[in-house]
Amino acid sequence: MPMTKLPPPQSPVHPTFSEAFFVWLKIGLMSFGGPTGQIALMHDEVVEKRRWVSDERFLHALNYCMLLPGPEAQQLSVYIGWLLHRTWGGIVAGALFILPGALLLGLISWVYVSFGKVPWIDALFYGLKPAVIAIVCFAVYRIGKKTLRNAMLWGIAVAAFLAIYYLGIPFPYIIIGAGLVGLAGGCWAPSRFRLDCTHRNTTDHTPRVIGDTAMADVSLRPTLGGTIRTVIIWSILWCTPVAISWMVLGKEHVLTAEGIFFSKAAVVTFGGAYSVLPFVGQQAVEHYGWLAPAQMMDGMALAETTPGPLILVLQFVGFLGAYHAPAPFTPMTAAILGAAMTTWTTFIPSFLFVLVGAPFIEVLRGQKLLTYALTAITAAVVGVILNLAVWFAMQVLFPATMHEPGAVRVDWYAVICSGIALLGLVRFKWNTLAVIFGCAVLGLAYRTLQ
């Protein structure tokens, strides 16, 4: 019996702004599981289901976002939104990716400071800490397995760990150094620094709204006036809250300090949330004293349970930092302002980087030079994340005793629980949310039986 030839798929219709709005809202509400899961969800929605963007264009945008400091998944949503509906499309896509998680984390932060001393809530947070250790160790394993493909990249990762753990070299210098090594190494040994960009369906010829062909729409091409205007507008938006706080409250006030600090962090946070947390921990915990190490881990666990980029944990840091130094406001008012300041200065730069750079990246499609630097930076990030895992483990597995200053003890429950959680993540592919909630329930049961 002769096979019936299927008709070619019809070309998809360009989405309206309102149609795209609800798709980005759906992605924002469902974006659990860290950047890998978020990017997979976005690919499924805009490439596979709706055929708005081709695989090649999606990967091209992702490669650029991976080169930027900040959350690559959120930046990718801005880029794709911009491709579809220009500036306002990028703004809406990026904002909806953040807002659901930010609002939910704000509510959880209020519960945390209002009821955190209740024994059963304290027990839940006790159970969350081993889960955080397992999740961070799993991030080291996952990124390292994908990235460290030869002795050169292993050497960069080890050097990064030694530099930050033993020598105390600040995170931004490690990232800059790794990037320079990647650029130099790419010139004399490019095979050791070439980033794999394979993805399924790269040869798919299904019609797309935005396909693989060269850019035809002149509105996507950069202009000098448009670039300058975008830089000025977003720079003013970025700096205005910090400037107002400085003028009204002074340079030393916690809101001003948070605005300045997280603005600096926004331009050096290559590698995503796991890589920036050692830098934030080093400064927010040890230098500024905005929160304790245990509270930092609580925030990490809470951010894992909410949609949106994991870097929203910085909102929790800003919330507690202002809550602990509220004058002249009430503690809760100061905390809300601190969370808003932190979220604003963390994410507004992402809009600036994408909306300024995307037109140039579209013109420069096919250029691969910066991927060498990205490969070296990603290798260094493995070492930085390992430092974070060690730092967390020392705080939880070997806590200081209450009656002997300087002495430590082994928390065997935390050792066993974190080990089982890590084994489940690596060997049995347990869901991150399941690990979080399971460890919280076990912590409650363990403390109750004590």
Side-chain angles (χ1 to χ4, degrees):
M1 181 177 178
M3 295 182 61
T4 303
K5 186 176 181 180
L6 296 176
Q10 295 182 346
S11 298
V13 178
H14 196 289
T16 64
F17 192 88
S18 60
E19 183 182 358
F21 177 94
F22 287 105
V23 171
W24 293 120
L25 178 60
K26 175 185 177 182
I27 291 174
L29 291 169
M30 297 176 59
S31 57
F32 294 92
T36 302
Q38 292 160 356
I39 291 169
L41 170 65
M42 206 179 310
H43 180 273
D44 186 56
E45 291 290 336
V46 304
V47 176
E48 298 291 345
K49 290 183 178 179
R50 292 171 174 81
R51 295 184 290 149
W52 288 349
V53 180
S54 70
D55 265 311
E56 196 273 341
R57 299 297 285 269
F58 187 90
L59 275 177
H60 182 71
L62 176 59
N63 288 340
Y64 171 61
C65 295
M66 290 180 68
L67 289 169
L68 296 174
E72 65 268 26
Q74 187 258 346
Q75 290 164 343
L76 179 61
S77 70
V78 176
Y79 198 121
I80 301 300
W82 171 81
L83 278 178
L84 292 170
H85 294 105
R86 309 302 177 261
T87 299
W88 279 108
I91 292 172
V92 168
L96 291 178
F97 193 86
I98 302 166
L99 280 176
L103 294 174
L104 181 57
L105 185 59
L107 177 61
I108 296 174
S109 301
W110 171 79
V111 172
Y112 181 86
V113 298
S114 300
F115 305 102
K117 298 302 181 182
V118 176
W120 69 270
I121 293 181
D122 183 65
L124 286 174
F125 282 107
Y126 171 74
L128 288 175
K129 291 177 175 60
V132 171
I133 296 175
I135 290 168
V136 176
C137 289
F138 181 58
V140 176
Y141 167 79
R142 186 179 64 246
I143 299 174
K145 183 178 179 181
K146 179 181 178 180
T147 303
L148 306 181
R149 301 185 302 275
N150 56 57
M152 175 68 71
L153 299 178
W154 271 99
I156 293 174
V158 171
F161 173 77
L162 296 176
I164 194 169
Y165 188 79
Y166 288 105
L167 303 179
I169 296 176
F171 169 72
Y173 297 136
I174 294 173
I175 293 302
I176 293 172
L180 293 175
V181 169
L183 287 175
C187 294
W188 59 267
S191 62
R192 295 177 179 268
F193 293 89
R194 186 171 292 117
L195 183 68
D196 291 333
C197 294
T198 57
H199 197 282
R200 67 182 185 274
N201 295 335
T202 52
T203 58
D204 181 25
H205 298 291
T206 304
R208 312 283 181 176
V209 172
I210 300 176
D212 297 343
T213 56
M215 179 178 58
D217 192 337
V218 296
S219 67
L220 293 178
R221 295 174 181 169
T223 62
L224 178 60
T227 301
I228 293 174
R229 182 170 60 252
T230 302
V231 169
I232 291 174
I233 291 173
W234 286 97
S235 296
I236 291 174
L237 288 172
W238 181 358
C239 297
T240 295
V242 184
I244 292 174
S245 179
W246 190 324
M247 290 186 293
V248 175
L249 301 171
K251 179 182 178 181
E252 303 302 323
H253 193 274
V254 64
L255 291 180
T256 308
E258 287 179 347
I260 295 173
F261 171 70
F262 288 109
S263 291
K264 293 178 181 177
V267 300
V268 298
T269 54
F270 296 92
Y274 287 115
S275 62
V276 71
L277 285 174
F279 174 58
V280 173
Q282 184 184 55
Q283 297 296 314
V285 175
E286 299 174 7
H287 178 69
Y288 291 103
W290 288 335
L291 72 173
Q295 292 174 322
M296 185 75 182
M297 296 192 67
D298 291 340
M300 181 81 170
L302 293 174
E304 288 276 8
T305 65
T306 58
L310 182 58
I311 206 170
L312 275 172
V313 66
L314 303 188
Q315 175 184 306
F316 181 80
V317 175
F319 185 97
L320 282 189
Y323 183 85
H324 291 148
F329 308 103
T330 65
M332 193 55 65
T333 299
I336 293 171
L337 291 174
M341 176 70 80
T342 301
T343 303
W344 186 266
T345 53
T346 296
F347 290 103
I348 287 297
S350 292
F351 290 93
L352 171 62
F353 299 151
V354 173
L355 295 177
V356 169
F360 294 94
I361 296 303
E362 284 297 304
V363 171
L364 296 174
R365 287 172 59 204
Q367 298 295 322
K368 304 297 183 183
L369 179 61
L370 291 182
T371 60
Y372 300 137
L374 173 64
T375 303
I377 288 172
T378 307
V381 163
V382 175
V384 173
I385 300 173
L386 178 60
N387 167 72
L388 175 67
V390 172
W391 186 74
F392 277 166
M394 294 299 294
Q395 302 292 330
V396 175
L397 306 184
F398 307 101
T401 60
M402 296 178 60
H403 305 294
E404 299 180 44
V408 297
R409 60 182 176 85
V410 179
D411 187 335
W412 288 108
Y413 167 80
V415 171
I416 295 171
C417 187
S418 59
I420 294 174
L422 179 59
L423 177 64
L425 288 168
V426 174
R427 179 68 177 84
F428 302 107
K429 312 299 181 185
W430 286 354
N431 182 272
T432 300
L433 283 176
V435 170
I436 288 285
F437 287 113
C439 287
V441 172
L442 287 175
L444 175 61
Y446 178 76
R447 280 289 180 87
T448 302
L449 295 174
Q450 276 186 317

